[in-house]
Structure formats: structure tokens, C-alpha cells
Amino acid sequence: MNASAAARHPYLSPDAPRVLAHRGLVTPDAAALGVAENSFAAVAEAHAAGVAYVESDCHLTADGEVVLFHDDDLRRVADDPRAIADVRVHELEEIMSERGGLITLAQALDAFPDVRFNLDVKAAAAAESVGRLVAPHAERVLVTSFSDARRREALAAARSAGAVRRPATSPGIDTAKRLVAARALRRTTRVRALLADLDALQLPERRGPIRVVTRGLVRDAHAAGVEVHVWTVNAEDDMERLLDLGVDGLVTDRADVALAVVNRRGTTAV
């Protein structure tokens, strides 16, 4: 990358490529035992495998606790129709007790002090609380959201809560769309403006028929000191191909496989 190490957000040190465990790590054996994604066990398994980065999602319970949970309800994980926002944390603890254990954001930050968390603010109601909770840990947290408004609210809350520096961040859908459009129109100044104040572009390789992650996008991002992380990459061939393209991070359900790929290439996974 052209950006110096000194200019890089601490979240992105040391050097890439990075393996980001998508919702923690649930191996096929663990899944067979009923361990759920985004559970305490999933985060612990990623940590035990040597993963430095865990990607997760944030919702707010009925009693105001930020929990790591992807869906806005319990249907898929527990065959329970209730929304996370309507359930208290002690109820979630009971539900998740046989699924790897519930993990709150506060617990994650406390129990895994050497893990860097990539947090997607899924619920608007969670944004302020996420920002407040990550403020003391801003050097090892990246805050993002499909909603740029939620992302910015969380970053502002971190500043208001006394964060020495803002958490790292990657753009929401609207900003990502504007960036892709600006590149297609060769609006170089606009591209640079959209990349300003970002630390990473976390994107799918494709969106429908449109190829989002290209060698040109990686080049433009690197010129601005911004990394490119691609989600969700589970096949070894795709991992190899994207690393050859120059991407800096792989967001993957199989962090164990990605670590092996990165190490086999003779680079150091972080």
C-alpha cells in the first residue's frame, strides 16, 4: 500500500493480508454439535485457531444490552419468532446456552482483549450503545453498517464517550454505490473524496451482474491508503484468486481454511 504504516489506523496493523472470521468460527464438527454463529463458542474457536480479527453483528435487546447476533429475530437460530429487540438478555442467555452461549459486546471486548472486532451495526437502536461501548477499545475496533447513518451515529457516540481516536470504519451501501459509480464515470476527484476518512472498503466481490471488486478498485483504494476486504469468501480457489488480485482481507466462514491458504503462500496472516 502507498499509505505509510504510521498513517494506518492501529486496527490495521500489522501488515495484511488479514483473515476476518465471519461471525466467529463454526467448523463443521462444531455445527453438528449445535454451536451457532456469533456465539461465545464461535468467537472462542476463532481465537483458538489464531485468528486476530472477528467480524460480528450488533443488535439491542429489550433491556438495552448490545449482543452479537446477525438476524433481527430468533427464527433461524432457535426456531423462535420473537425479535431480538423484544427479548431480554437473560432470556437470550437461556436460549443460547445450548448453542454455544450468548455473547454481549461488552463481554466480547473484555474476554478477548487481543482480538480485533469488526462490528456491523445491524439495528438503528444499537448504534449509540455500540459507539459508547467501543470507545475505550477504538484502536482494535472497526465500526461499519449497511446504513451509513447508523455507522456515523456509532462513530459519533464513540467520540462523545471519550474515544482517544475514532474506531476504524468502512462504508455503508450508499457510499459504496457512489464509489463504484464514480469509478465507472472516471471521476477521480470524487473517488478520492469518497475514500477520505475510510480505513477499509468491505465489499462483496460481485453484486448481481456487477463486478464490484476489481484490480482497478484495489489500486485506487491503495492509492488513498484504504484497504480492500472481500466478503464472504469460503472457497480456497476464490481466496487464492482474490489475494492474487491484491485484496488485503478475506471475510470468511472458514477462517481456519483461509489461515492455511495465507500461510501456504508464505505470508503472515493477521
Side-chain angles (χ1 to χ4, degrees), residues 85-210:
D86 294 334
V87 180
R88 294 182 177 274
V89 71
H90 73 86
E91 296 175 277
L92 275 177
E93 287 173 341
E94 182 176 349
I95 290 168
M96 293 297 292
S97 63
E98 296 182 356
R99 296 174 170 85
L102 178 71
I103 185 166
T104 68
L105 176 55
Q107 289 169 340
L109 293 167
D110 182 61
F112 301 97
D114 54 348
V115 169
R116 301 175 190 207
F117 285 93
N118 201 104
L119 301 173
D120 184 350
V121 183
K122 279 290 193 293
E128 191 279 333
S129 294
V130 169
R132 175 172 45 80
L133 287 167
V134 305
H137 310 275
E139 292 192 349
R140 64 183 179 102
V141 172
L142 183 146
V143 171
T144 188
S145 176
F146 285 147
S147 163
D148 280 302
R150 286 200 296 268
R151 174 178 69 91
R152 293 182 179 121
E153 183 180 352
L155 294 174
R159 288 193 297 271
S160 296
V164 175
R165 66 178 304 157
R166 68 160 175 78
T169 193
S170 67
I173 290 176
D174 287 345
T175 297
K177 285 180 177 179
R178 288 196 291 270
L179 176 62
V180 171
R183 288 199 68 258
L185 295 171
R186 299 183 180 180
R187 297 176 60 189
T188 305
T189 301
R190 178 62 171 160
V191 169
R192 290 174 182 165
L194 288 165
L195 289 170
D197 297 324
L198 297 176
D199 302 287
L201 294 175
Q202 296 183 329
L203 304 164
E205 183 177 6
R206 302 185 70 95
R207 177 59 69 190
I210 300 173

Side-chain angles (χ1 to χ4, degrees), residues 42-102:
V43 176
E45 185 68 20
H47 181 254
V51 175
Y53 292 85
V54 170
E55 186 278 344
S56 197
D57 313 279
C58 297
H59 279 278
L60 198 69
T61 65
D63 46 351
E65 193 77 41
V66 179
V67 293
L68 302 191
F69 220 91
H70 179 269
D71 299 356
D72 60 7
D73 61 43
L74 290 159
R75 293 179 190 274
R76 183 169 59 88
V77 171
D79 195 26
D80 184 325
R82 290 179 296 172
I84 300 296
D86 294 334
V87 180
R88 294 182 177 274
V89 71
H90 73 86
E91 296 175 277
L92 275 177
E93 287 173 341
E94 182 176 349
I95 290 168
M96 293 297 292
S97 63
E98 296 182 356
R99 296 174 170 85
L102 178 71

